[in-house]
Amino acid sequence: MAPFEPRGLLPEADLRSASSIDADDVAALLSALGYPCDAADAARRIAAITANDRQALVVARCGGLVTGLVALDFMYYLPLDTTTCRITALVVSPGAQGRGLGRQLLREAERRARAAGAARIELTSGSQRTDAHAFYKACGFSDGTVRFVKRLGDA
């Protein structure tokens, strides 16, 4: 089996925009990604995204459970004079990994990016996430530029 080929497919996931009723699941997924979050904080974050027409948060339900999410930010990109869609979070619950859900979420992100007129889709990933990097490459993403970060507070 080729690396990052699904190891037993999940049924096609029900993909939909997140709402406040997803707060517990979003909190669990963000915590699994390494960003601790409780339900109240997740509800606040969901509200911030749904209030912004330049952002989207999509959750994936399989077998009645929310097992993944992808967050999108649509921004004007001055150097190319066009819209870029940035994936700001992509996570699949540990029990659903390796079964095609990450690819379904990336396809949905690309579909939404095209519908919004974005010329490209991009993401950043921590240097320690080598498995994620291999997955993204297997899904057609290429290495981009080096990202530099300067923290301006607690975030």
Side-chain angles (χ1 to χ4, degrees), residues 123-139:
L123 57 85
T124 58
S125 180
S127 58
Q128 76 281 8
R129 297 184 190 273
T130 56
D131 285 347
H133 302 167
F135 170 71
Y136 296 136
K137 287 177 184 177
C139 291

Side-chain angles (χ1 to χ4, degrees), residues 4 24 36 50 78 81 88 110 114 152:
F4 301 103
D24 286 336
T50 57
L78 178 65
D81 187 29
T88 61
E110 188 172 330
R114 287 180 192 281
L152 301 176

